[in-house]
Structure formats: C-alpha cells, structure tokens
Amino acid sequence: MGDAVRLVHTPFNDRAEDAVILTDALMQDQVTVINVFSVPVENRDDFLPRWKIGVGVMAAQPGFIQAQMFRSLDPAAEFGFVTVARWASGAALAEARKNPEWRASVQRLMDNVGAAPKPMIYETALVVKSGEKP
C-alpha cells in the first residue's frame, strides 16, 4: 500500500459509556476488520445468536467477502470472541456501517448482552505458508 490511507474515526453512537470508536479506511483496497469482544461470562451463550443477526445484515452489503467468529476455549479470557471479516474495500465497509439495521443489532449486543466491541481495520502485512521462511 505505499500511499497514506485516509482514516476516519467516529463514535458508534452518542453514548459516552459505550466508548466504541469505528475506524474507516477510505480506500479502494481490500481490508480486514478484526473485532474483539469482551462479554460477561454469564451472557456468552446469548452473544453468538445475536451477533449472527448483525453479520447477516452485513453479508448482504456490497463488498462483503467473508466473516469468521472465534470463541475462546478459556472462559476466563478477557476477549471471549474475536471476529475477522474481509471486505472488498475500505470504502465498501464504511458505506455498510451506515446501515441502520446493522447499527441497531450492534446496539442490542451492547445493551442486552453487555458486549464491549473493540473493532479495528487492518491490511495484510505478511503471509507465511507452510514450509516457507519469512
């Protein structure tokens, strides 16, 4: 990527107690969103079914490629869930994040399940395949 990427940091909503900042990389290159979720242990069984609602909305948006959700095997893990989602471009992701249905699903995760997301956008910096030396 050599050129500087224009990053836009915006709060998810007006509620200071949420303190969720969305970062958008306004670029045409492919991006990966990695989002870690702190979820109270007693609410973890409710988290995944509710997360599926939001990812279903995003999966229908132009530019969405794929999302994976990882769940920690250790119930004491600070971040019980980690999402990795790929988008065709940072611009497509920024547009998709405007969807009110998706925003409402995220708000419900925070309000009803106590999920505290920490999303960030990444680009691939290095790929190492089996048998290769970096």
Side-chain angles (χ1 to χ4, degrees), residues 3 9 12 15-16 20-22 24 34 37 43 54 69 80 82 86 103 108 129-130 134:
D3 298 332
H9 305 285
F12 177 76
R15 293 169 32 180
V20 176
I21 301 297
L22 298 178
D24 285 310
I34 300 175
F37 295 88
N43 294 344
M69 174 62 79
V82 176
R86 291 183 26 223
R103 295 179 83 81
R108 284 190 300 273
K129 296 179 181 176
S130 178

Side-chain angles (χ1 to χ4, degrees), residues 3 10 21 28 32 39 44 50 60 64 67 77 80 84 89 91 93 96-97 99 126-127 130:
D3 298 332
T10 56
I21 301 297
Q28 295 307 313
T32 300
V39 180
R44 288 188 180 173
R50 292 175 187 239
F64 178 88
V84 178
S89 72
L93 170 62
R97 282 181 164 169
N99 183 299
L126 177 66
V127 175
S130 178

Side-chain angles (χ1 to χ4, degrees), residues 30 32 86 122-134:
Q30 190 176 106
T32 300
R86 291 183 26 223
Y122 294 85
E123 66 179 351
T124 301
L126 177 66
V127 175
V128 179
K129 296 179 181 176
S130 178
E132 293 181 347
K133 291 188 180 187

Side-chain angles (χ1 to χ4, degrees), residues 41-119:
V41 174
E42 64 274 11
N43 294 344
R44 288 188 180 173
D45 288 340
D46 294 332
F47 176 79
L48 192 56
R50 292 175 187 239
W51 177 81
K52 286 180 182 180
I53 295 167
V55 78
V57 172
M58 292 306 248
Q61 303 304 305
F64 178 88
I65 297 172
Q66 170 186 340
Q68 292 179 281
M69 174 62 79
F70 300 88
R71 183 178 186 152
S72 174
L73 296 175
D74 183 350
E78 179 180 358
F79 300 110
F81 297 89
V82 176
T83 301
V84 178
R86 291 183 26 223
W87 286 83
S89 72
L93 170 62
E95 190 61 31
R97 282 181 164 169
K98 296 176 185 176
N99 183 299
E101 188 180 356
W102 173 77
R103 295 179 83 81
S105 73
V106 173
Q107 192 65 60
R108 284 190 300 273
L109 277 176
M110 292 187 295
D111 291 345
N112 300 338
V113 184
K118 302 266 188 258

